[in-house]
Amino acid sequence: MAAFLFLLFLLSEAASDLIMLSVHPGEDAILPCRAADVPIRAVEWTRPNLEPPQYVLFYRDGHLDTTHLHPSYKGRVQLLDRHLKDGDVSLILKNVRRHDRGTYECRVASVGFTRTKRAILDSEPIRTIQLQITDSNSGQSKDENSTPVGLYIGLGVFFALLFLT
């Protein structure tokens, strides 16, 4: 089964940079993201469809910056590894709610990053995740565009990250 999930992960990576992830309301979600193995100075998680401020998480110089964090995420987000070991900048979203459904983007800046004020990093996202919230009773998503394959891709990414570290 693990080999199948890993293969599914590899195929999904080849086909698209978009990862589909499904969770139930009230659960914690891990949104996987891995940067190149270089010293990281800043990590930015955003939701492009949120009204400004759109930050889900902004981490700079070893500290979370909650100044411009969207109010619905305060106290519910953290990095999986605050030390950013091996470039792991995965996001933990606690107590997922229905309004958390949407697109999440992960960006990083290396040590050469010199901006001192809050701004979207001038780079393409290194990971884009489509988070789906499933109905606890039926296991089916309330969003008619979702597919169960997203769950397998998300699990594949999670297990692949575990096996690769």
Side-chain angles (χ1 to χ4, degrees):
M1 180 69 167
F4 171 75
L5 291 174
F6 184 69
L7 178 61
L8 188 57
F9 165 73
L10 291 177
L11 291 174
S12 70
E13 286 296 301
S16 170
D17 241 4
L18 178 68
I19 294 176
M20 302 289 289
L21 183 64
S22 296
V23 295
H24 297 294
E27 292 181 343
D28 293 350
I30 297 176
L31 285 61
C33 186
R34 185 172 296 276
D37 194 14
V38 296
I40 298 170
R41 179 157 183 209
V43 177
E44 174 186 275
W45 278 93
T46 59
R47 283 193 57 199
N49 56 339
L50 280 181
E51 291 297 319
Q54 63 182 356
Y55 283 99
V56 173
L57 178 138
F58 191 72
Y59 180 89
R60 181 177 50 209
D61 297 327
H63 302 286
L64 288 177
D65 180 350
T66 59
T67 308
H68 303 287
L69 184 67
H70 191 276
S72 67
Y73 293 99
K74 287 192 177 182
R76 297 193 311 125
V77 292
Q78 67 185 48
L79 291 172
L80 183 63
D81 180 2
R82 284 185 176 243
H83 301 291
L84 310 177
K85 183 179 175 189
D86 299 323
D88 188 355
V89 293
S90 300
L91 176 77
I92 299 174
L93 176 56
K94 298 178 183 180
N95 190 23
V96 171
R97 303 170 185 163
R98 293 208 182 280
H99 69 269
D100 292 331
R101 180 177 60 92
T103 302
Y104 291 78
E105 295 178 340
C106 170
R107 290 176 176 81
V108 298
S110 62
V111 170
F113 173 74
T114 58
R115 289 202 169 174
T116 57
K117 63 180 186 176
R118 175 193 158 283
I120 294 176
L121 300 181
D122 295 331
S123 64
E124 290 296 313
I126 59 174
R127 176 70 61 217
T128 302
I129 296 176
Q130 184 67 37
L131 183 64
Q132 299 294 326
I133 310 302
T134 58
D135 183 9
S136 298
N137 297 331
S138 68
Q140 296 297 315
S141 173
K142 296 279 187 179
D143 183 359
E144 55 193 51
N145 293 328
S146 70
T147 174
V149 173
L151 175 63
Y152 297 119
I153 292 172
L155 287 172
V157 169
F158 177 74
F159 284 114
L161 288 173
L162 284 176
F163 293 135
L164 294 174
T165 58

